[in-house]
Amino acid sequence: MVDINQHDSALLIKAIMDGDAVLFLGAGASATSTNSKGERVKQGRALAERLATEAGFPYAGEPLPDVLEAVTGHRISKQQFVDILQAEYTSTTPSDELKKLFKYSWRRIYTWNIDDAIENTKHSAQTRRYVNGLSDKVSSYTGIEYVHVVHLHGEALKPEHGFIFTPKEYNARLNEDRHDWYRQAATDYVAKVPIFIGSRLEEPILSAELDRARPTPDSQLGLAFLVTPDDFTPIQLAGFASRNIVVVKGYLSDFVQWLDKAIGPQVTPLDVSQSNSLFTRKLAARITPTKSEVDTADSIVLHTWLDTKSKAEELQGLARAEVARAFLEGFPPTWKLAATDIPVWLTKTTELYTALSSSIASRDRMFLVYGQAGSGKTTALLQSMIRFMRENTSYPVYEIKSDAKSLRSSLELIHKLHKDEHAVVYVGDAILFGDLLEEDILTLPAGSLTVISSARTSEWRRHIERRVGDVTTSFEFQRFVSDDHAALIDRLLKYVPAPYFRKLSPSQRAEKLASSKDQLLIALKEATSSERFTKIIADEYENLPDDDCRNLLLIVGLATMARTGISKGATREAFNRIRKSLSFEGALGHLAGIVSPNPSDRYVARHEVYVRHIIENVADFKSIIHAAIQILRTYTKYDLPIVKNVVRLDGALFKFILNHDFIGENARRRNEIRRGLELYKSFEIDFQLDGHYWLQYGQYLAMFGELEPAITVLTKSIEAYPGNSYALHALADLQLRVAYERQNYDSETARLLTAAATTLEALHAREYSDVDYYPIVTLSEKYIGALIKNRQMETALDASRRYYKIISEIPHENEQMSKAKIKLAHFITHRTWKAVDDAPQPLKARDAKRRKKGPRKRIKRAGPKNAG
């Protein structure tokens, strides 16, 4: 039996039951498995002896790397070497203890062994997905039902991908930076609880990556366990202890016996989910959930008034003061915080609560509150939901986390649990669920669920209302009023150190709040300072200790603007590529109170309002692009297309960073259009099979008048992702612009017009209502305009009559369609057409005279705004 003290035992059991244990299997884990001849799987020196014998050398105990260097390619051909490996390490029979190991659920499994013993283990608690660490791209964690088995040094079954045996092979991987799975292993080591079995932890690549992850060379990482029968000297044991590694003496067979006694004969994904989720426990008490339902349940949180109140009461003393100050300075609210009296119950919150209660009582499909960023709408919505739970205990209330794989699956599972009840479901940020929001909400019978959500005003009006407006009760959350001043002042005095504000008289404090006409967040910040909000934020950024701190803030700030946050592993990876002197922990320490993990354990900056001002007005554009490039570099380890191979939030962040509108508007504002182009040019090889990347790249070029290059790039987008509606529409839109600008109506102009019209008419027939662009509007505006400009009046009239009829038959005509319809009618009746000035600023404008400062009107175009 293994020897492990009670404290370490409890930590290890918790890690396994929570699904946070990562296995690292060394040679000892396969030592009792057998090969096709019934012999024990050969360890390093046994393989070295066979190779030496095959080569005609006497074997004197030399290490395997030395033998390999001496015989392969000299005495033994590469093919002979592969034949030996396959004879020894394929068609193996796993030992009983290895089989038992797979009755438990693991976060991930890494192995340095090349044998197929794991593959030949027939039964396991999880569905296994095998990965060759030398050739396969990194895969995102896909939930506790699945486990990646990663062969870090190759597989005897797949010799074509190579192996790692010798220092030369280690060094080649290190020098060429071709070890993404090793980097992921280091990330898992830091974030979770690693368990090493049958290894002496002498792996150079893992050691290099762990050293890279350390704040300083002497810093400890998280707790790790090493299960080994080896004896160590007191100095070696002290060395392990200094690295926070607990040595558990024993063989794999001893370890699985201990697991059986300490935990039980197995830990299924359902066991793990129940350990972490009140919802899963409730679900499992009523039905036997399927594997996919267990996976879905991990993204659902059950909220009750008593549980929320109990957690809120835990906030006492200094912890309460710190949470309050962070909230009042911009960090997002949580259910726990909203259940305290720290946030003020505003006058507008009372109106919101009344509307929310009425909507739930009416069994509306959806209730959505919208308002400006920083208005306090999210806090008010959480406060209202908590009060609703207190006053209506019979209603089940759930939250679907933003990292849910499928909103529809989550809603269906909640409905399955409450077929005869009316449930309330909170979805924090409607925009993150995108184009399928309406379809997902309408999938269930009316009156069964009321989905509660929030959005920015612009998002509601431009995107969401068109999709779900017919089935949604909306509520606009507006500015605080004078009746709220006293309570707001009380919170500021209680939690925010602001000598200037405290010296003011009560009437002056109220005057200070009233003088700010901005949303609540800005008003509170300005009230406690003698300066304007914009200057406060600019000074805070510029007074950070060094560029390392500023770069880390930009990395996290970009993810905050995307409303996704950024995973801790990706933050560290992006920062380490850009840092000059400070360690990651060192820079993070300087950003205390500015950057912190959110409830999904992803880093976010204080508030979008803060970072937007820094990105748009303070930080230099070169630094912003550099930070954006480093974030995108973290995606190069995944298979393409990116959004299909990463979790939802990472996919949304990828799309935001590449968004041509975001990059283009900031490039235009700084007159650094070439600098913006650098972001796209940096990934022409890495993302060459990603249609979204090429689409945004092409639209960026088109945005600044580089039409011919844009056509080439958009064509690549369609080649990478054939049938992408956004790319097809963008290319057709561009063809019409090129046709409009051509000097003569020749065969090429005619070809461009015909190609564009054919594409757009086909797109309209396929999908005119479920997207953020309208092919029929582009046809009505740009196709007709290009025909008229090229004096093809009869063709233009015929097309106008046809498009007018098409728009007239659309059941839910929107503003863009109405304007196009009026314009078509005017042309059909009067034969006059007002041309639209669509000439963009060319890329070479960087060298032109800078624009005069002042507000610039945004022109809404008929073309697609964003593939995301």
Side-chain angles (χ1 to χ4, degrees), residues 740 745 753 780-797 800 823-824 827-828 831-835:
Y740 185 89
Y745 184 76
L753 288 170
S780 301
E781 291 277 359
K782 295 187 177 180
Y783 177 59
I784 301 298
L787 286 172
I788 293 169
K789 188 261 184 183
N790 283 284
R791 298 182 179 84
Q792 303 302 303
M793 297 299 290
E794 289 304 317
T795 305
L797 277 169
S800 295
K823 194 169 184 179
L824 290 172
F827 174 63
I828 294 167
R831 305 295 195 271
T832 58
W833 183 264
K834 184 179 180 181

Side-chain angles (χ1 to χ4, degrees), residues 279 300 356 359-367 385 388 395-400 406-427 437 439-453 471-473:
F279 172 74
I300 301 172
L356 173 72
S359 180
I360 295 172
S362 300
R363 293 178 172 254
D364 290 346
R365 285 188 184 271
M366 188 170 188
F367 176 85
M385 291 196 67
F388 180 85
Y395 280 86
V397 176
Y398 296 96
E399 177 183 7
I400 297 176
S406 167
L407 176 60
R408 178 186 294 192
S409 297
S410 300
L411 293 174
E412 288 176 340
L413 188 55
I414 293 170
H415 178 60
K416 185 174 183 178
L417 197 59
H418 299 284
K419 286 186 177 178
D420 300 320
E421 299 174 88
H422 180 212
V424 178
V425 183
Y426 176 69
V427 177
L437 186 61
E439 188 177 325
D440 290 344
I441 289 173
L442 292 178
T443 192
L444 297 176
S448 56
L449 299 177
T450 296
V451 175
I452 313 295
S453 193
V471 295
T472 299
T473 296

